[in-house]
Amino acid sequence: MALHPLTAGELLDAASACRGRSAAEKGVYLAALGMPGQSFGDCATLPIGARDAAIVALRRTMFGERIELSAKCPRCEARLDVETTSDALLAIQAEAPARLQEIAIDGERFAVRPADSADLTAIGWIPDMEEARAELARRCLVPLAGAEVPPWLEEAEIEAVAAAMAEIDPAGDPFVALHCPECELEWDAPVDIAGVLAGEIEGAADALLDEIHLLAQAYHWSEDAILALGQERRRAYLARLQQ
Ligand SMILES: [Zn+2]
């Protein structure tokens, strides 16, 4: 099935579905919209890089190539508006090698698999970032030759697993290089593309609800009838109401 921009009705449904969901849930939901024919279950087990590529592809059909982000400088707290593109984010995904990495811990061999949305949901309740990072590393270890995943990992082992995960799924943590004009700090800021698209969908849905509200009030048409008009005709009637 071909990917198409969401219809007005689908946009309202998507905005309702995203509100109040966790970041991982939004990611799975939007990836499923970006991969027609795939179930939520399929999308929950995609590596984060592949999941986010589906979200970028969906976003491009709705909001175009340019992606505007805002960030806060971690040193001086200045606000920055930054811009990236769908192409730039999809290029990171295109580099991703498919092979699993192998590492040794305490003489036992493990494969490292990429993190998926189920992993992010599982660690989402852990308030401490360091503990969450350690648990994510443990979850992504796949024992080879009968080894058991150790109950806890040393800091160096967590870093080795994280480095292997970044190798096999570089788009799993896509980032943009930022430079603060106030204090000259340079850092790499992660891009939460699911959060960006969910915010844009909610904004567009709010604007659409305003249009529906004004037309329903003036003409007493149903929501379905107003949605069926299409954007151009809705705008034409709204313009007449303001004359
Ligand atoms: Zn700064």
Side-chain angles (χ1 to χ4, degrees):
M1 273 183 275
L3 187 56
H4 64 82
L6 300 185
T7 64
E10 287 168 342
L11 179 81
L12 293 182
D13 290 343
S16 304
C18 286
R19 281 201 177 94
R21 295 268 181 105
S22 71
E25 288 169 335
K26 282 180 195 172
V28 174
Y29 178 83
L30 294 173
L33 292 183
M35 302 181 89
Q38 300 278 325
S39 69
F40 288 115
D42 293 337
C43 291
T45 55
L46 282 176
I48 298 302
R51 184 197 78 174
D52 284 0
I55 297 172
V56 171
L58 172 67
R59 189 195 168 280
R60 179 151 63 181
T61 68
M62 301 175 69
F63 299 106
E65 182 64 28
R66 279 179 44 186
I67 302 174
E68 286 171 20
L69 307 162
S70 64
K72 204 197 255 177
C73 172
R75 186 155 73 194
C76 74
E77 303 207 325
R79 279 190 69 82
L80 270 81
D81 291 316
V82 272
E83 205 181 295
T84 183
T85 62
S86 306
D87 272 349
L89 295 182
L90 292 173
I92 302 173
Q93 170 64 18
E95 287 169 12
R99 68 202 155 81
L100 293 188
Q101 295 273 314
E102 277 187 29
I103 63 170
I105 294 175
D106 281 342
E108 302 277 12
R109 300 192 60 73
F110 296 90
V112 177
R113 65 170 177 81
D116 61 26
S117 300
D119 296 313
L120 298 190
T121 301
I123 64 162
W125 61 272
I126 304 175
D128 183 275
M129 287 301 288
E130 290 300 310
E131 267 179 52
R133 204 167 139 262
E135 179 59 17
L136 183 64
R138 282 189 69 250
R139 288 179 62 92
C140 292
L141 283 177
V142 182
L144 299 172
E148 283 196 6
V149 175
W152 62 277
L153 298 171
E154 306 270 1
E155 183 56 33
E157 293 164 347
I158 295 168
E159 272 173 27
V161 176
M165 286 166 67
E167 284 259 314
I168 51 178
D169 190 28
D173 186 19
F175 50 81
V176 287
L178 297 185
H179 168 251
C180 176
E182 301 290 329
C183 74
E184 305 293 327
L185 181 70
E186 291 184 352
W187 79 104
D188 291 328
V191 180
D192 170 19
I193 192 64
V196 169
L197 179 56
E200 288 170 323
I201 285 176
E202 287 172 28
D206 278 342
L208 179 57
L209 287 173
D210 285 343
E211 292 182 2
I212 295 169
H213 167 71
L214 291 172
L215 292 174
Q217 212 172 30
Y219 297 106
H220 308 289
W221 296 329
S222 70
E223 184 188 73
D224 281 348
I226 293 168
L227 289 176
L229 288 173
Q231 191 184 66
E232 200 188 326
R233 292 263 284 284
R234 278 195 299 276
R235 300 271 161 92
Y237 282 115
L238 285 168
R240 278 161 178 77
L241 284 180
Q242 282 158 8
Q243 279 168 4

